[in-house]
Amino acid sequence: DAKTTQPNSMESNEEEPVHLPCNHSTISGTDYIHWYRQLPSQGPEYVIHGLTSNVNNRMASLAIAEDRKSSTLILHRATLRDAAVYYCILRDSDNAGNMLTFGGGTRLMVKP
Amino acid sequence: DTGVSQNPRHKITKRGQNVTFRCDPISEHNRLYWYRQTLGQGPEFLTYFQNEAQLEKSRLLSDRFSAERPKGSFSTLEIQRTEQGDSAMYLCASSLVQGIFSGYTFGSGTRLTVV
């Protein structure tokens, strides 16, 4: 799977929007962009995924650049419960095992 | 169904002992994955099953590690002759692969400490 690059950490204020960036300049045409987050002492939790078009769900929005070399996870209104490590992962749709390869992620800190 | 269940949550063992962890996936999920996570790092893939068949093993999975998924339901991960370097969080995840992949559901993990 192609590699992603994320900032090690970011800070946000409670009730403000958060934009978490991810660069994936070597993305291939069959790679889906997945986001997971991991709260303290928990396993990772699926957030959202997409291929080319922007995606919205109840947790977040995913904005994908037109050239697909970068994407941004948007939390519309951060809460203290959103403090977690956020992982941006590329998964090749042709990967028979569907394995996810995690990087270091971005640790999001939310200030009250 | 309450999600992916892992037992025990914590395990402390002496070096050289054997340990076994259990994972109960979401019942209709046909794929089951094991990952290992050390402090400050992202999870690392160990192995996965489709139903009862173990289809891939990472190079991280040394001969001391063995995983089973009898009857395609729960899975066990055994570590023989534990070493201090085995101390980590062991995570299990499951997914349903039918057409479009929709994501994994992870358990809360088993934290292993080898002393």
Side-chain angles (χ1 to χ4, degrees):
Chain A
D1 290 324
K3 187 177 169 56
T4 63
T5 304
Q6 299 178 254
N8 287 337
S9 63
M10 290 184 64
E11 251 184 26
S12 169
N13 294 317
E14 197 177 10
E15 298 188 7
E16 290 186 357
V18 181
H19 290 231
L20 296 162
C22 182
N23 287 320
H24 28 78
S25 58
T26 59
I27 191 170
S28 74
T30 53
D31 282 334
Y32 280 78
I33 302 160
H34 288 250
W35 283 82
Y36 281 74
R37 73 178 186 180
Q38 188 170 21
L39 279 65
S41 301
Q42 299 291 321
E45 173 188 28
Y46 168 80
V47 177
I48 200 166
H49 79 286
L51 183 62
T52 55
S53 305
N54 294 345
V55 185
N56 299 297
N57 66 21
R58 63 175 180 79
M59 289 182 72
S61 296
L62 176 59
I64 302 172
E66 199 169 329
D67 63 6
R68 301 209 326 126
K69 293 183 185 300
S70 65
S71 61
T72 303
L73 180 71
I74 302 165
L75 306 179
H76 294 287
R77 201 161 156 266
T79 70
L80 296 178
R81 288 173 295 179
D82 291 321
V85 179
Y86 287 78
Y87 297 98
C88 169
I89 303 163
L90 301 184
R91 191 194 66 81
D92 187 350
S93 61
D94 292 336
N95 176 343
N98 301 128
M99 280 85 76
L100 297 176
T101 302
F102 289 79
T106 296
R107 180 173 298 278
L108 175 66
M109 291 166 280
V110 181
K111 296 183 292 184
Chain B
D1 199 336
T2 55
V4 176
S5 175
Q6 290 189 248
N7 288 289
R9 286 297 309 272
H10 303 274
K11 178 72 176 177
I12 300 174
T13 191
K14 291 185 178 177
R15 192 175 51 175
Q17 298 293 304
N18 299 343
V19 294
T20 301
F21 312 138
R22 177 178 170 126
C23 172
D24 288 90
I26 292 174
S27 55
E28 61 266 26
H29 284 185
N30 53 359
R31 290 239 174 117
L32 186 148
Y33 303 81
W34 284 98
Y35 280 76
R36 182 176 72 183
Q37 185 173 27
T38 52
L39 206 59
Q41 305 296 315
E44 298 171 295
F45 169 76
L46 291 178
T47 189
Y48 90 94
F49 293 82
Q50 172 136 339
N51 300 315
E52 66 274 11
Q54 187 174 17
L55 296 186
E56 187 152 343
K57 292 193 282 189
S58 160
R59 285 172 296 176
L60 293 174
L61 213 66
S62 76
D63 291 344
R64 296 184 297 106
F65 287 69
S66 63
E68 293 184 342
R69 192 184 182 197
K71 302 178 184 176
S73 55
F74 71 92
S75 176
T76 58
L77 177 68
E78 181 183 17
I79 309 174
Q80 296 182 325
R81 304 181 303 284
T82 52
E83 302 172 356
Q84 286 188 318
D86 297 331
S87 295
M89 174 77 84
Y90 289 84
L91 293 161
C92 176
S94 68
S95 69
L96 176 62
V97 181
Q98 252 180 12
I100 297 173
F101 176 69
S102 59
Y104 289 9
T105 302
F106 278 87
S108 295
T110 294
R111 181 166 295 285
L112 173 66
T113 303
V114 181
V115 297

